[in-house]
Amino acid sequence: MTHLRVTGGRVLRPGGRVERADIAVDRHEGTIRAVGSPDEVDEAVGGDVDESVGGAAAETLDAAGGIVIPGLVNAHTHVAMTLLRGYADDKPLDPWLREDIWPAEAELTPADVEAGAELGALEMIRSGTTAFADMYFAMDRVADVVDRAGLRARLGHGVVTVGKDEADARADVEESLAVARELDGAADGRIRTAFMPHSLTTVEEEYLREGVAEAREAGVPIHLHANETTDEVDPIVDERGERPIAYAAEVDALGPDDFFAHGVHVDDSEIDRLGDAGTAVVHCPASNMKLASGMAPVRRLREAGVTVALGTDGAASNNDLDVFDEMRDAAMLGKLAADDASAVPAAAAVEMATRAGADALGLPGGRIEAGAAADLAVVDLDAPHLTPVHDPVSHLAYAARGSDVRHTVCDGEVLMRDREVLTLDAEAVQERAAAAASDLVDRVGSA
Ligand SMILES: N[C@@H](CCSC[C@H]1O[C@@H](n2cnc3c(=O)[nH]cnc32)[C@H](O)[C@@H]1O)C(=O)O
Ligand SMILES: [Zn+2]
């Protein structure tokens, strides 16, 4: 069967309109063939008949009582950090990384990264996320998981050079470039890559310049953490007499395909600069609140024309990978930051989690229209906390949760049907990850 029909639901269309429609998906192409009335969709699937279900035309996903939305995009995470969920909480960024996270990560094996990535993939599929950006290490293992899980991703090896000797620092840069070159196009093109220096303070200038120059030559974008905390901005200002975004431009890391995580402490000049450059910002509201990093000026960024996507960041600073939470947090925190309840309305939060996410990552998806990638999720609205339905878009941002997702589809393939994940063995994944996490903590304790 080449086709998949999503029937009986309401559909979130580009621009935020919600209308009753069926959807025809070309599974072979991984794209949406048609969005419209049942007749129009019948016509689009033509004579594609599934004998196994009594001759019904094509495979069908029932969306009755639900809303079909573009698959959510988690535009910044460290997916294998699911193993460190709840391992170290209630500390600011710098001591949290140095005292807890980095020592634990020093003990992580590639097999652990694979187990954690699988758990993260499972969690994302179960909460309607179809695409993500990942900065971590052992990325070949993460790529295998993305391939098996059926997701879409932009992957990169995170580089840290501070505290390393020259050989180690250079090797880390080379590893990131090698990953970016070699994994690009993997998983039938669902995997794209980026050069990923961890941040403007944890990678020294000469390595940043060299790495970015090579990334430009290879044609891969740049992803890094920028302007996350004042502790990270101040040293750049003190030492260089310029703001981090100006510094990023100086090392040629501020291009139209690049995307920076956080952008919390950005001043007006930096906001304008991001807008002019076309560099996207990935807002991570839960992580920013939990680490008390600050409030990103999301409304001002959007008004300046910056593409603002949403990310969960790692599960150790969130502590889940549910982009529905991120939509709500972004809307809430955006209002608080602007001191205005009309800032970052529901539709903006939904747009950030869908179209802006896909655009920030330079991946297909993020819109439900003919010709677009068939990356979508069906959210069940038949639940007490979603009743009544005055405005489904309001529910998506403020009341729905990942567990309300009924079906998840990526690249035309059904990854979850009626809450059963088809591409991963949920029970085995959970057991493996829990065992890997407990062994890891034992090793860290005796190191
Ligand atoms: N190759 C590097 C690994 C960098 S991966 C990216 C890193 O970002 C870390 N990380 C997670 N969340 C945040 C955050 O909010 N800000 C900065 N770094 C983070 C994460 O723990 C991981 O160590 C090395 O040798 O250490
Ligand atoms: Zn991060």
Side-chain angles (χ1 to χ4, degrees):
M1 257 178 311
T2 34
H3 291 100
L4 171 72
R5 302 198 319 165
V6 185
T7 61
R10 287 188 260 190
V11 178
L12 179 64
R13 305 302 308 274
R17 203 171 71 255
V18 175
E19 62 188 31
R20 176 53 211 101
D22 285 3
I23 298 170
V25 166
D26 185 327
R27 297 169 62 182
H28 195 69
E29 297 289 324
T31 55
I32 295 171
R33 275 283 301 276
V35 184
S37 69
D39 285 350
E40 286 166 317
V41 162
D42 268 345
E43 195 168 319
V45 303
D48 195 9
V49 165
D50 181 3
E51 297 299 346
S52 71
V53 290
E59 184 186 350
T60 299
L61 282 181
D62 179 17
I67 176 164
V68 188
I69 63 172
L72 300 178
V73 180
N74 186 351
H76 175 74
T77 189
H78 313 277
V79 72
M81 289 184 84
T82 48
L83 295 192
L84 299 172
R85 192 197 316 271
Y87 171 71
D89 302 307
D90 312 323
K91 277 188 178 185
L93 177 66
D94 195 66
W96 176 77
L97 284 174
R98 284 172 204 282
E99 295 164 15
D100 303 293
I101 299 302
W102 286 346
E105 288 179 336
E107 296 291 327
L108 272 181
T109 65
D112 292 334
V113 170
E114 182 166 336
E118 253 181 358
L119 179 63
L122 179 65
E123 191 182 350
M124 290 192 280
I125 292 169
R126 285 177 60 84
S127 50
T129 291
T130 54
F132 68 105
D134 199 52
M135 176 199 284
Y136 219 55
F137 38 85
M139 295 312 291
D140 53 333
R141 299 298 191 100
V142 179
D144 281 348
V145 171
V146 170
D147 191 6
R148 279 203 299 280
L151 290 164
R152 213 183 272 289
R154 192 164 287 273
L155 304 179
H157 169 90
V159 180
V160 172
T161 64
V162 288
K164 289 182 181 164
D165 65 27
E166 196 187 324
D168 283 354
R170 193 142 274 134
D172 214 19
V173 173
E174 286 308 321
E175 171 75 13
S176 190
L177 291 165
V179 161
R181 290 191 189 103
E182 286 158 24
L183 293 180
D184 204 26
D188 300 321
R190 284 182 283 113
I191 292 177
R192 305 302 312 273
T193 58
F195 175 59
M196 298 198 183
H198 174 263
S199 77
L200 299 170
T201 52
T202 49
V203 177
E204 287 135 323
E205 182 174 356
E206 60 165 315
Y207 301 115
L208 210 47
R209 283 188 187 276
E210 285 173 21
V212 170
E214 293 212 37
R216 295 292 178 227
E217 217 158 282
V220 295
I222 315 292
H223 178 49
L224 46 80
H225 295 93
N227 301 58
E228 181 176 1
T229 62
T230 48
D231 284 351
E232 182 209 337
V233 171
D234 293 346
I236 295 176
V237 173
D238 290 348
E239 281 161 35
R240 313 190 53 92
E242 65 185 345
R243 301 279 308 174
I245 299 302
Y247 174 41
E250 214 184 290
V251 298
D252 191 28
L254 196 73
D257 299 329
D258 303 334
F259 56 107
F260 293 177
H262 299 297
V264 174
H265 301 280
V266 283
D267 72 9
D268 287 341
S269 72
E270 290 177 293
I271 293 174
D272 287 343
R273 226 173 161 138
L274 286 161
D276 291 345
T279 303
V281 168
V282 184
H283 177 44
C284 303
S287 172
N288 296 160
M289 290 192 279
K290 184 161 187 263
L291 301 169
S293 300
M295 298 187 281
V298 170
R299 175 158 72 183
R300 285 192 289 137
L301 284 162
R302 284 171 53 88
E303 281 171 358
V306 178
T307 297
V308 183
L310 293 181
T312 58
D313 214 345
S317 58
N318 187 298
N319 287 3
D320 60 48
L321 305 182
D322 183 345
V323 174
F324 284 91
D325 284 358
E326 245 43 51
M327 287 194 267
R328 178 171 29 213
D329 288 346
M332 304 281 192
L333 190 60
K335 299 172 197 316
L336 204 54
D339 191 22
D340 180 351
S342 71
V344 194
V350 172
E351 194 261 346
M352 288 159 72
T354 53
R355 188 169 58 81
D359 291 352
L361 302 193
L363 295 177
R367 58 247 314 137
I368 298 200
E369 62 191 4
D375 294 15
L376 54 89
V378 179
V379 183
D380 208 335
L381 295 175
D382 181 15
H385 64 283
L386 301 174
T387 303
V389 186
H390 294 300
D391 174 2
V393 173
S394 164
H395 279 4
L396 291 172
Y398 292 121
R401 320 178 178 123
S403 53
D404 296 313
V405 174
R406 191 191 296 170
H407 315 296
T408 303
V409 174
C410 182
D411 199 33
E413 288 304 321
V414 182
L415 309 187
M416 179 172 76
R417 173 191 272 275
D418 291 316
R419 293 216 53 73
E420 186 195 345
V421 175
L422 305 178
T423 50
L424 297 170
D425 177 346
E427 210 174 310
V429 165
Q430 230 168 287
E431 270 171 30
R432 197 151 50 224
S438 97
D439 287 355
L440 170 68
V441 171
D442 288 347
R443 291 201 301 280
V444 177
S446 55

